[in-house]
Amino acid sequence: MTDVDLAVRFFLQLAVILATCRVVGWLGSKFLGQTQVVMEMVAGVMLGPSLFGMIAPNAQAWLFPMVVEGSKGKHPSMSILYVASQLGLVLYMFCVGMEFDVDLLKQRARGAVAVSLAGIALPFALGAVLSISMVQNGSFFTPNVGAAEGALYLGAAMCITAFPMLARIIYERGLSGTSMGTLALAAGASDDAFAWALLAVVLASMNHDMSIVQVALGGGTAFAITMITVGKHYFAKLESWTKREGKITPPIAVTTFLILSLAAYFTDMIGIYAVFGAFIAGIAMPRGNFSQEMQNRLEHTTGSLLLPLFFCYSGLNTNIGLLIDPQLAMFAVLAVVFAIVGKWGGCTLAARFTGETWQDANKIGVLMNARGLMELIILNIGLAQGVITKTLYTVMVIMAIVTTLMASPIFVWLSHRSELKPLAT
């Protein structure tokens, strides 16, 4: 297949992905009250073997070929789709970082730590227990994964929180700056940082080289501290530069993307992946005219054009048909139940303990229970690194979709319920 053939197929893939995401997103918004980004997760699965491949297997295999015909080698069109999806992911996390207010962590440090620990400990424990049977079953983890690695990986996957989605719901509901919104954001960020640390430990353990953990955690910590101290001081010049020019000019944009690219490269190189570098780079950027205009410029290209490619790529590796076996299906149900009980229950109790009302504590638990995009990232890493099989990948994608789809409707229902509650006399 020539480069021209690959380019032509990529543009057709892009057209199909964008059309599907838009239609599914519209249906989800109109009938289910879901956000576009949540429904794009569903659309990605629909384009894979779970639906498109079941209805029209030949057409699906032609449009999204996973391997080169006559061999077991990965098809080059999948590599192109992967790289484009990673670009969208990095730009998206950069925008999320620019929206994140570091002062939130300072304002609710005590409560955030309590909710975060509860949102880590209980899901991790339940995930570790479930992993024992999964490792013994042999269908979920690759043969080189032992009981310890399996427990750490599944525990980390259960701990993750859909921080970008959490931030979006809080913003859309007008909860930014409120006690509940601040606590949820701070706890969500802490949960995800812990989950990435656990993933580094899993990969190091599999490679029998703990220096990987030292490099990942030590390098990641040093990188984050450097970026939000020294880096933030120098990056502030981007704001004054933007004010002087009156807009973001090509040199300003190139300088920003250069910083972003190097940050993504460095964190990927030390083993904590490009999305972490992109997020920290976004946090280190100056607030004001620069961040507002940069987000406005990136929002449509990233959210509407590139991010759907990541959801599609994830969906191509998800095959619900793998769970036709009743025993495997039972594991999928258990994963969903354990995830909900661990995250929602643990975070609700912790939030109540820190002084939130039961109503607000329940809302925090609901928001923290959503896994969304961050879960797909950790699953894709696990699959690419040979930690999990496509069966466990599918189980966890289902869990991510279910917990994420639950979040917004239940949150809205709880909000309406509190508004309708009669005032005490």
Side-chain angles (χ1 to χ4, degrees):
M1 179 171 282
T2 66
D3 291 345
V4 173
D5 293 330
L6 289 172
V8 170
R9 181 168 306 194
F10 173 75
F11 288 123
L12 180 58
Q13 290 172 340
L14 183 60
V16 171
I17 293 168
L18 294 180
T20 304
C21 285
R22 186 50 52 183
V23 171
V24 173
W26 180 81
L27 291 173
S29 174
K30 186 173 180 61
F31 298 105
L32 300 175
Q34 297 290 343
T35 60
Q36 177 70 26
V37 69
V38 174
M39 294 310 299
E40 285 174 0
M41 290 177 59
V42 178
V45 173
M46 292 172 62
L47 287 171
S50 298
L51 182 62
F52 186 18
M54 183 175 63
I55 297 173
N58 292 334
Q60 199 272 344
W62 178 85
L63 184 60
F64 299 109
M66 299 299 290
V67 297
V68 176
E69 188 175 351
S71 73
K72 294 183 179 180
K74 187 176 183 179
H75 198 281
S77 69
M78 288 299 100
S79 298
I80 295 173
L81 196 60
Y82 173 78
V83 172
S85 72
Q86 291 302 299
L87 175 61
L89 203 54
V90 164
L91 290 173
Y92 183 77
M93 291 306 295
F94 179 64
C95 290
V96 170
M98 284 195 289
E99 291 180 351
F100 185 70
D101 186 356
V102 179
D103 291 335
L104 294 176
L105 295 174
K106 301 176 183 177
Q107 294 172 17
R108 296 301 307 276
R110 176 177 172 273
V113 169
V115 174
S116 180
L117 287 176
I120 290 169
L122 190 52
F124 180 85
L126 293 175
V129 170
L130 186 59
S131 72
I132 296 173
S133 298
M134 284 185 163
V135 170
Q136 293 175 348
N137 181 276
S139 300
F140 300 99
F141 291 95
T142 55
N144 59 325
V145 175
E149 292 90 356
L152 287 173
Y153 181 83
L154 198 60
M158 289 286 195
C159 288
I160 210 80
T161 292
F163 178 76
M165 180 196 170
L166 188 152
R168 182 58 58 189
I169 292 177
I170 286 174
Y171 173 77
E172 290 178 352
R173 301 298 171 189
L175 299 172
S176 300
T178 65
S179 174
M180 184 186 70
T182 300
L183 180 58
L185 282 174
S190 302
D191 273 15
D192 286 356
F194 181 80
W196 288 117
L198 279 180
L199 182 61
V201 174
V202 172
L203 298 180
S205 178
M206 287 186 61
N207 287 282
H208 306 291
D209 184 5
M210 291 308 294
S211 65
I212 295 177
V213 177
Q214 296 170 356
V215 171
L217 300 187
T221 302
F223 169 78
I225 292 174
T226 302
M227 287 290 284
I228 61 178
T229 53
V230 178
K232 193 170 186 177
H233 171 73
Y234 285 102
F235 300 157
K237 296 179 181 179
L238 291 170
E239 173 66 14
S240 57
W241 192 0
T242 302
K243 286 183 177 179
R244 186 170 65 249
E245 297 292 338
K247 61 180 181 179
I248 290 183
T249 60
I252 296 175
V254 170
T255 301
T256 304
F257 293 138
L258 177 61
I259 294 169
L260 173 60
S261 299
L262 290 175
Y265 168 77
F266 178 77
T267 52
D268 207 6
M269 183 183 67
I270 63 175
I272 53 176
Y273 302 97
V275 291
F276 182 81
F279 178 62
I280 296 298
I283 290 177
M285 289 294 124
R287 302 303 188 261
N289 294 342
F290 167 80
S291 60
Q292 291 176 3
E293 190 168 345
M294 182 60 71
Q295 287 182 70
N296 290 337
R297 293 191 174 206
L298 291 177
E299 183 177 1
H300 294 301
T301 301
T302 303
S304 302
L305 178 65
L306 295 176
L307 198 58
L309 298 180
F310 174 74
F311 291 120
C312 178
Y313 188 85
S314 299
L316 294 176
N317 288 308
T318 305
N319 187 357
I320 298 177
L322 295 173
L323 305 181
I324 194 171
D325 183 288
Q327 187 180 31
L328 300 184
M330 179 193 69
F331 276 110
V333 173
L334 286 175
V336 173
V337 172
F338 280 20
I340 294 172
V341 170
K343 201 74 167 181
W344 188 351
C347 291
T348 297
L349 292 175
R352 179 70 182 106
F353 176 76
T354 61
E356 298 293 328
T357 64
W358 275 115
Q359 195 76 30
D360 284 351
N362 210 9
K363 292 178 185 177
I364 291 172
V366 169
L367 292 176
M368 295 289 287
N369 183 51
R371 270 81 175 178
L373 176 64
M374 301 306 291
E375 183 71 37
L376 295 186
I377 295 173
I378 203 170
L379 292 178
N380 276 278
I381 292 171
L383 188 64
Q385 295 293 325
V387 179
I388 62 176
T389 65
K390 287 195 174 183
T391 302
L392 181 53
Y393 182 93
T394 299
V395 166
M396 299 304 285
V397 168
I398 292 173
M399 181 273 287
I401 290 176
V402 171
T403 57
T404 305
L405 286 174
M406 290 170 58
S408 190
I410 295 179
F411 182 86
V412 171
W413 178 75
L414 288 172
S415 299
H416 288 167
R417 185 181 174 190
S418 62
E419 290 171 3
L420 295 173
K421 185 176 180 180
L423 296 174
T425 57

